[in-house]
Amino acid sequence: MRILFLSEIFPPTHGGSGRWLWEVATRLDPSTVTVVTHQHPNAEQFDRTHNLDIRRIPLQSPEWGVSSRKGLWCCHLFHDDWYFFND
């Protein structure tokens, strides 16, 4: 089984949900986890400190969710890059 975490906020970005996802992801088998998150200036340095598969893409949006046109647009942009995750 593969697990995909999709979050705008993930370390090294500070935030409660990002920290929570980090805690969950690091307790799972790293060969089963992929994290897709927003880019961060210190990401390269942070990502050398663990063995998780983290993909950083432009993922920032003022709104998320299917009830929002802007949120749907972000999902559309992400979906177009889905080939990025095929093994």
Side-chain angles (χ1 to χ4, degrees):
M1 175 174 62
R2 299 280 304 159
I3 301 167
L4 173 65
F5 289 98
L6 175 63
S7 177
E8 180 180 343
I9 300 172
F10 195 81
T13 301
H14 296 284
S17 61
R19 178 62 187 199
W20 183 80
L21 287 174
W22 166 258
E23 293 295 336
V24 172
T26 57
R27 285 169 171 73
L28 298 170
D29 177 357
S31 68
T32 66
V33 175
T34 298
V35 177
V36 178
T37 188
H38 188 61
Q39 299 164 334
H40 187 281
N42 299 330
E44 187 176 332
Q45 180 181 6
F46 175 80
D47 290 347
R48 286 193 300 260
T49 67
H50 57 80
N51 60 351
L52 289 175
D53 177 20
I54 297 185
R55 316 287 177 103
R56 296 187 183 268
I57 62 174
L59 197 60
Q60 193 168 25
S61 173
E63 297 179 31
W64 286 94
V66 296
S67 63
S68 155
R69 287 185 183 186
K70 290 180 183 176
L72 284 173
W73 178 247
C74 281
C75 290
H76 166 72
L77 292 175
F78 174 72
H79 185 301
D80 286 350
D81 290 334
W82 187 252
Y83 67 88
F84 185 77
F85 305 102
N86 291 338
D87 289 334

